[in-house]
Amino acid sequence: MNTRVLRIELRRSVAPWAGALVLTSALAFLYLLDAAWWRGTTAWTAQWTSLAMWTRSLLFYLWPLAVGLGALQGLRDHRSTMPELLTTTPRPARHRAAATAGATAITLTSAFALLVLVGGVQVLARTGYTHLGWLPISLVGALFLVAGALLGMGAGRALPSVLTPPALAMGAFVFTALMHMSLGRTVTTTAEGVQSTEPRRISLLSPAVEEVRSALLTLSAPVHAGQTVWLLGMAATGFALLIAATRRARLIALTPVLAGAAIALLVLPSDPRRMYVVDEAAAEPVCDGPVCVTTTHRTRLADLAGPGKEALRLLHGALGDRAPVSVRENSAVLPDGAVPRWSGETVLFDFDDDTVAAAKGGELTRALIAEAMVPGCTPVGWSSWGTEDFARAVAVGWVLGEPGPLPATESADLRREAEAETRPVWKELQALPRAEQLSRINAMRAAALSCEGDAFEALSGGASR
């Protein structure tokens, strides 16, 4: 295939329109909807891995679109009523197929690359952690678009009907939906009786990925390898269908995609914890004395170090030998529904936690004290407001010597509710001898750190449940 033929294909095929549609629809989806990809440390323009994962998640609908547009391209010869004429020309069918497939592959790859570039420019301005670990995620994403379009082109050539493109697009969309719903997920129950779902191995045949829950999570190498095998088989089947002239040849052309799926299922991990893994390099701690953050967020260490050290000083003055001795960003990523367990020696925090995210300077010191006293036992992926927050407000007031709202309770209604619940307990606690105060605080922390009791009830003098 020479460049002249390629230029002709780019002018006369739907390939440029396919690339333009993929790029514009993806950007419109990202910029017109105010959703999770704009928030917190996992925003699509915050970190390189988050950028790659969020753009891959758009393949939930971009991949079916590529399959449908590929099928439309595959109908070109049939619409022009010239298949018999083309078969009489001396030029091999694989040359004509390569020109059409090459034009489509170039435009779709360019469109996806431009999408990543738009986000990448913004990531460069916002992060100090640059790495190449995100690149395989995006490369496989581009390969999904190309392989899907080739499969659509081959199917359109083999089934020349006006209904083929919409049917294939809808079928591809249903496939991606099922892989992230009933067929591709397993319902599990945690040790605490909380139900959640986990991805199955077969769900990795889908182009989309799970919603980004942490900037430290990435796809493992076996996932990239298995998906690449599956996509190469899909692309080979699409190309074989493009050049197949008989029914027998078309049936044989299905072999690569079936073999690719079988091999991919052998390579892809079956354990969800081996599908989405913590990037060890990104999670490596960067410290200023006893205050540490992950390498991903090392630019935020300067703002955290002062308040973190002050929080440790105040905690030591209030708790004595039982006080934590370090402040660290939490790099553990638990599955949805899991109940966390905490350490009394380390203050673990998350930059996406509402209490920490809303705080600066002195407020950040108060927020870190709150994390040390009552870190929270809400299952991962859930949200709550209640007795834990009341215990946290009283405990922070006890350490600082004066009550006050936490940064996460700036809402007037929440402040009033917290005031009504915590004021009587605060007054009762202050009226007790120092030894009894410390006893209740220790009982509250024991319940809060183990997640096996009611911290507010222990603080109020009742037995923990």
Side-chain angles (χ1 to χ4, degrees):
M1 179 178 63
N2 56 45
T3 56
R4 179 173 174 273
V5 173
L6 182 60
R7 287 197 302 270
I8 293 173
E9 282 292 333
L10 287 172
R11 289 199 305 268
R12 297 182 179 180
S13 70
V14 300
W17 297 103
L21 186 58
V22 165
L23 178 61
T24 55
S25 63
L27 290 175
F29 198 86
L30 288 170
Y31 280 95
L32 297 181
L33 295 181
D34 182 18
W37 49 79
W38 284 112
R39 301 191 183 107
T41 61
T42 59
W44 80 291
T45 56
Q47 299 290 340
W48 288 105
T49 301
S50 298
L51 165 67
M53 295 289 276
W54 278 120
T55 49
R56 271 288 296 273
S57 71
L58 295 180
L59 296 184
F60 186 86
Y61 78 92
L62 290 180
W63 184 69
L65 184 63
V67 173
L69 290 170
L72 184 63
Q73 174 66 30
L75 291 178
R76 184 177 64 173
D77 290 352
H78 177 74
R79 293 197 309 270
S80 62
T81 65
M82 55 185 299
E84 293 183 3
L85 175 62
L86 291 175
T87 57
T88 63
T89 62
R91 188 184 181 194
R94 63 179 181 275
H95 288 183
R96 296 194 304 272
T100 305
T104 302
I106 288 172
T107 55
L108 288 176
T109 302
S110 300
F112 194 73
L114 284 173
L115 174 64
V116 174
L117 180 62
V118 169
V121 171
Q122 298 174 76
V123 172
L124 276 175
R126 296 181 61 180
T127 184
Y129 177 52
T130 302
H131 62 104
L132 295 178
W134 61 274
L135 196 54
I137 303 173
S138 294
L139 290 176
V140 173
L143 185 56
F144 257 111
L145 289 176
V146 172
L150 285 176
L151 184 65
M153 291 168 63
R157 177 86 160 69
L159 302 171
S161 168
V162 70
L163 298 178
T164 299
L168 282 177
M170 182 56 66
F173 182 78
V174 170
F175 172 78
T176 58
L178 290 177
M179 289 300 100
H180 288 268
M181 292 167 59
S182 55
L183 292 182
R185 303 194 70 83
T186 302
V187 178
T188 60
T189 303
T190 65
E192 294 79 13
V194 180
Q195 276 199 343
S196 63
T197 62
E198 293 182 335
R200 296 177 181 173
R201 173 165 43 194
I202 194 173
S203 69
L204 296 175
L205 297 181
S206 168
V209 296
E210 299 284 300
E211 183 174 325
V212 184
R213 296 189 292 112
S214 170
L216 301 177
L217 275 185
T218 187
L219 290 171
S220 65
V223 172
H224 299 318
Q227 289 181 336
T228 300
V229 171
W230 155 240
L231 294 174
L232 291 177
M234 185 188 301
T237 287
F239 190 80
L241 287 173
L242 267 179
I243 63 176
T246 64
R247 178 174 297 183
R248 182 171 178 272
R250 293 186 184 109
L251 289 175
I252 294 174
L254 299 177
T255 302
V257 70
L258 296 177
I263 297 172
L265 290 175
L266 293 176
V267 175
L268 293 170
S270 58
D271 185 352
R273 281 158 290 280
R274 293 181 57 236
M275 299 175 188
Y276 296 86
V277 297
V278 173
D279 185 339
E280 297 296 337
E284 190 71 24
V286 178
C287 301
D288 182 344
V291 181
C292 300
V293 298
T294 62
T295 300
T296 298
H297 298 131
R298 61 190 177 192
T299 56
R300 306 181 71 166
L301 179 59
D303 294 332
L304 183 74
K309 293 173 183 177
E310 178 65 11
L312 291 176
R313 185 188 68 80
L314 292 169
L315 287 166
H316 185 268
L319 298 174
D321 293 339
R322 293 196 175 191
V325 296
S326 63
V327 175
R328 290 179 178 268
E329 182 183 356
N330 191 0
S331 60
V333 182
L334 300 177
D336 280 346
V339 176
R341 293 291 186 271
W342 306 102
S343 166
E345 297 182 355
T346 303
V347 181
L348 294 175
F349 72 94
D350 191 322
F351 282 115
D352 282 327
D353 186 283
D354 291 339
T355 305
V356 175
K360 294 181 180 179
E363 288 185 351
L364 183 53
T365 297
R366 178 182 285 269
L368 292 173
I369 293 173
E371 294 293 325
M373 300 299 282
V374 185
C377 296
T378 303
V380 176
W382 295 29
S383 61
S384 67
W385 167 258
T387 58
E388 276 187 351
D389 301 277
F390 305 148
R392 190 176 291 124
V394 174
V396 173
W398 180 80
V399 172
L400 297 176
E402 58 179 358
L406 297 176
T409 59
E410 292 302 315
S411 164
D413 291 339
L414 295 182
R415 282 201 305 270
R416 282 193 294 269
E417 182 182 359
E419 176 75 14
E421 293 289 340
T422 60
R423 179 61 64 176
V425 177
W426 166 259
K427 290 182 177 179
E428 179 185 351
L429 185 66
Q430 288 296 99
L432 296 173
R434 178 68 181 181
E436 181 63 22
Q437 291 181 29
L438 189 57
S439 176
R440 288 198 182 186
I441 289 292
N442 287 335
M444 177 209 69
R445 287 194 75 216
L449 294 173
S450 66
C451 293
E452 293 179 354
D454 190 313
F456 193 55
E457 186 176 334
L459 188 60
S460 304
S464 63
R465 289 181 278 148

